[in-house]
Amino acid sequence: MTTVLLSGCSSDSDERETRSRTISEDVTNENADSTSENQIIEAPQEEESTLEEADVIINEDTVETKILIAYFTRADNVKQDENLDAVSSASINLEDSDYIGNMEIMADYVANRTGGDKFSIHTLELYSQNYRSTTDQAKEEQNNDARPELVDNLENIDDYDIIFLGYPNWWGTIPMPMYTFLEAYDFTGKTIIPFCSHEGSGLGSGVADIKELCPDATILDGLAIRGSKVKESEGEILEWIETLEIFE
Ligand SMILES: Cc1cc2nc3c(=O)[nH]c(=O)nc-3n(C[C@H](O)[C@H](O)[C@H](O)COP(=O)(O)O)c2cc1C
């Protein structure tokens, strides 16, 4: 079980907590690697040989497909303390003294199945703890086509072939920090698999917007789970992953 903890940048301001992200490689999963089997069937040496009699050599070449699970969640982008009241903490779940957002719960389920590395997208500026203020702030960012600055660059994006991209539906699409994230890297040739949580709008225009931002990537069908159903969504997520046929 290996967990790599990378320190994040911190701003000069006292208000700003040191941000950190965890890339978890701690998923025990025998299905993390995909294996291809090349079967080479030797041609019969004698006329009377039949296919059934021919020697069969099976080469098992292990092809490693690296999977990244990048996601944005409000819980990782607000100050987490006891001031998070019932309203402000909407969609933020308290687990073992840790606040964990809906998208992280979904990301964990994806990681459990795929063995992928988790990466939580962090903005440099924290959002308000107050839910209503956050929705106002997010609306303003959307209206201004803002690109909120991020901390913690992902240095090894080239290592990954498949990227599960998790977003909470914010005003009908991906949060603006995810625009920043998707514009920061070259996703050419990669497969992006969106997944989202929401409170009624489903995937919204998120998938179309991701396609526009990453025209040279393959974007697979996404999965949307209502926020209140996220905790019990593991089975649905596992079934969805099977339909993607990424393990052959
Ligand atoms: C700024 C903001 C905007 C939102 N806009 C929508 C929306 O347009 N449609 C919707 O169904 N849910 C919307 N929601 C609800 C979130 O998508 C939902 O609570 C989600 O589960 C949050 O995931 P998280 O806990 O990982 O951040 C919004 C939430 C916030 C904070």
Side-chain angles (χ1 to χ4, degrees), residues 73-74 91 102-103 131 138 168-172 197-201:
T73 183
R74 191 169 73 93
S91 89
N102 285 337
M103 291 317 302
Y131 188 82
N169 186 321
W170 273 20
W171 293 108
S197 74
H198 63 98
E199 280 310 331
S201 314

Side-chain angles (χ1 to χ4, degrees), residues 71-119:
Y71 61 96
F72 180 88
T73 183
R74 191 169 73 93
D76 286 352
N77 289 284
V78 296
K79 195 171 173 190
Q80 297 194 355
D81 61 27
E82 67 281 1
N83 294 325
L84 277 172
D85 59 34
V87 175
S88 299
S89 65
S91 89
I92 299 179
N93 312 276
L94 184 58
E95 283 186 11
D96 299 331
S97 312
D98 272 343
Y99 289 102
I100 174 166
N102 285 337
M103 291 317 302
E104 183 168 2
I105 293 175
M106 289 180 75
D108 280 339
Y109 292 149
V110 175
N112 287 345
R113 173 63 184 92
T114 63
D117 298 334
K118 278 171 58 195
F119 177 79

Side-chain angles (χ1 to χ4, degrees), residues 13-207:
S13 159
D14 286 344
E15 290 174 10
R16 192 80 178 87
E17 288 188 327
T18 300
R19 313 296 306 276
S20 67
R21 72 164 186 250
T22 305
I23 296 178
S24 299
E25 296 173 345
D26 56 355
V27 185
T28 50
N29 190 330
E30 67 277 12
N31 297 308
D33 298 332
S34 67
T35 302
S36 74
E37 294 181 349
N38 296 328
Q39 292 195 344
I40 302 170
I41 300 173
E42 287 191 344
Q45 297 301 306
E46 297 170 7
E47 275 187 16
E48 60 272 24
S49 294
T50 65
L51 191 63
E52 286 74 30
E53 292 166 335
D55 293 333
V56 176
I57 301 171
I58 299 174
N59 288 339
E60 291 192 352
D61 298 329
T62 301
V63 179
E64 193 178 344
T65 301
K66 285 213 63 171
I67 295 178
L68 175 71
I69 303 147
Y71 61 96
F72 180 88
T73 183
R74 191 169 73 93
D76 286 352
N77 289 284
V78 296
K79 195 171 173 190
Q80 297 194 355
D81 61 27
E82 67 281 1
N83 294 325
L84 277 172
D85 59 34
V87 175
S88 299
S89 65
S91 89
I92 299 179
N93 312 276
L94 184 58
E95 283 186 11
D96 299 331
S97 312
D98 272 343
Y99 289 102
I100 174 166
N102 285 337
M103 291 317 302
E104 183 168 2
I105 293 175
M106 289 180 75
D108 280 339
Y109 292 149
V110 175
N112 287 345
R113 173 63 184 92
T114 63
D117 298 334
K118 278 171 58 195
F119 177 79
S120 177
I121 298 168
H122 287 176
T123 54
L124 185 61
E125 296 295 330
L126 293 170
Y127 287 86
S128 168
Q129 283 186 325
N130 180 278
Y131 188 82
R132 181 59 56 198
S133 301
T134 301
T135 58
D136 291 346
Q137 195 179 343
K139 188 67 192 162
E140 195 180 329
E141 285 178 353
Q142 195 180 67
N143 289 342
N144 294 335
D145 199 21
R147 297 293 183 272
E149 198 174 337
L150 305 182
V151 291
D152 296 342
N153 287 321
L154 192 58
E155 286 172 4
N156 56 345
I157 190 84
D158 289 344
D159 293 351
Y160 298 101
D161 310 298
I162 294 177
I163 294 136
F164 283 85
L165 191 67
Y167 66 93
N169 186 321
W170 273 20
W171 293 108
T173 184
I174 56 176
M176 298 316 287
M178 300 198 72
Y179 277 76
T180 314
F181 177 78
L182 291 172
E183 287 174 351
Y185 304 100
D186 181 7
F187 292 93
T188 301
K190 300 188 186 299
T191 298
I192 296 179
I193 310 173
F195 63 105
C196 130
S197 74
H198 63 98
E199 280 310 331
S201 314
L203 289 154
S205 62
V207 177

